[in-house]
């Protein structure tokens, strides 16, 4: 999809915190059905860029485009209603609800919008809507390997499964653009492989586009078609994963010494 128009773009994005430039003229593009990685040393500006892309923070300079439209001044809720979802470094689950109920709540927030509109039109009764919601939740739980813990309280899940539940909740109502902030943190090697499989399925079968921040560079290089590297708020390198991995500037930024 290299020739397709981007579904999400940052154009010349800059953010200042007092006299510190957290982001300085950052350009980034995410295309349909693509998995892209965003990496960099601590303090590089990765989470700040996610805040700008998701609408939590307004940039001092530059623009954010979603589906070609300028959404720089649009709220996080507006962006969510137009297909964008985000997870956070710190888990944001409803711990006192079951795993299944976390997914049901995620579909309820906008009154049956997104992926369930067709089901509502086909079965406009409340009972039909509830059945459609539960069927969709069950489908996503199976895809994410969470069907065996559907009735477990989310707060009792180990870290790896809690991370997977965050992903499931983000996609259950038809996400088109996913921003995943350290989705593999705390996962075992087997859970890493399962996460990669689910993300690939989301892009291949559902046309979802994924931008992820992750400190596990090997995980990013294996999963992502393209990678952008931030360092001190600027784009240090961007391109195919193999090219970025071989770039001496990237190795220097991570190793802290000239290579």
């Amino acid at each position: 999809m290299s020739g397709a128009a981007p579904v999400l773009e940052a154009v010349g994005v800059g953010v200042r915190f007092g006299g510190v430039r957290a982001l300085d003229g950052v350009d980034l593009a995410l295309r349909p059905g693509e998995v892209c990685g965003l990496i960099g040393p601590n303090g590089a500006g990765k989470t700040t860029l996610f805040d700008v892309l998701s609408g939590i923070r307004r940039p001092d300079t530059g623009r954010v485009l979603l589906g070609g439209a300028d959404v720089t001044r649009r709220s996080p809720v507006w962006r969510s209603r137009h297909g964008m979802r985000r997870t956070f470094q710190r888990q944001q689950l409803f711990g006192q609800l079951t795993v299944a109920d976390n997914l049901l709540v995620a579909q309820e927030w906008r009154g049956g919008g997104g992926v369930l509109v067709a089901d509502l039109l086909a079965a406009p009764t409340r009972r039909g809507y509830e059945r459609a919601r539960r069927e969709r939740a069950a489908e996503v739980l199976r895809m994410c390997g969470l069907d065996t813990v559907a009735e477990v309280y989310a707060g009792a899940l180990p870290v790896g499964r809690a991370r997977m539940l965050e992903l499931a909740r983000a996609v259950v109502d038809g996400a088109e653009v996913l921003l995943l902030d350290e989705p593999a943190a705390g996962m075992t090697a087997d859970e890493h492989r399962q996460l990669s499989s689910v993300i690939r399925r989301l892009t291949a079968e559902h046309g979802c586009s994924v931008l992820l921040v992750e400190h596990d560079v090997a995980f990013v290089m294996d999963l992502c078609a393209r990678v952008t590297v931030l360092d001190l708020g600027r784009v240090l390198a961007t391109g195919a994963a193999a090219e970025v991995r071989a770039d001496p500037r990237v190795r220097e930024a991570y190793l802290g010494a000239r290579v």
Side-chain angles (χ1 to χ4, degrees), residues 115-199:
V115 74
L116 296 179
V117 168
D119 298 310
L120 273 173
L121 294 175
T125 65
R126 183 68 188 182
R127 180 176 297 176
Y129 169 55
E130 290 294 339
R131 181 170 61 251
R133 274 203 315 153
R134 293 184 181 280
E135 288 174 354
R136 173 61 179 169
E139 175 189 351
V140 173
L141 288 175
R142 286 193 298 272
M143 180 179 69
C144 294
L146 295 170
D147 48 317
T148 58
V149 293
E151 299 308 317
V152 173
Y153 287 109
L157 293 176
V159 174
R161 287 202 161 187
R163 291 289 186 194
M164 190 64 79
L165 176 55
E166 287 183 312
L167 174 61
R169 194 177 62 179
V171 303
V172 71
D173 70 334
E176 297 171 9
V177 175
L178 270 177
L179 307 181
L180 304 179
D181 199 347
E182 299 190 25
M187 285 188 167
T188 66
D190 286 342
E191 289 167 339
H192 273 208
R193 287 189 285 271
Q194 183 182 28
L195 176 63
S196 293
S197 177
V198 171
I199 291 175

Side-chain angles (χ1 to χ4, degrees), residues 63-102:
R63 298 180 299 152
V64 175
L65 307 178
L66 181 62
D70 190 335
V71 298
T72 309
R73 296 181 176 275
R74 295 290 189 178
S75 70
V77 172
W78 191 96
R79 297 180 204 202
S80 293
R81 292 184 184 277
H82 289 77
M84 179 184 287
R85 301 290 183 277
R86 178 192 174 174
T87 64
F88 293 82
Q89 292 178 19
R90 183 176 179 181
Q91 293 177 12
Q92 302 285 335
L93 297 174
F94 298 113
Q96 295 183 334
L97 296 181
T98 67
V99 168
D101 283 344
N102 267 263

Side-chain angles (χ1 to χ4, degrees), residues 9-32:
E9 287 182 272
V11 182
V13 166
V15 173
R16 284 179 175 271
F17 296 121
V20 177
R21 289 186 178 184
L23 296 174
D24 188 5
V26 172
D27 293 327
L28 182 145
L30 178 66
R31 294 181 175 84

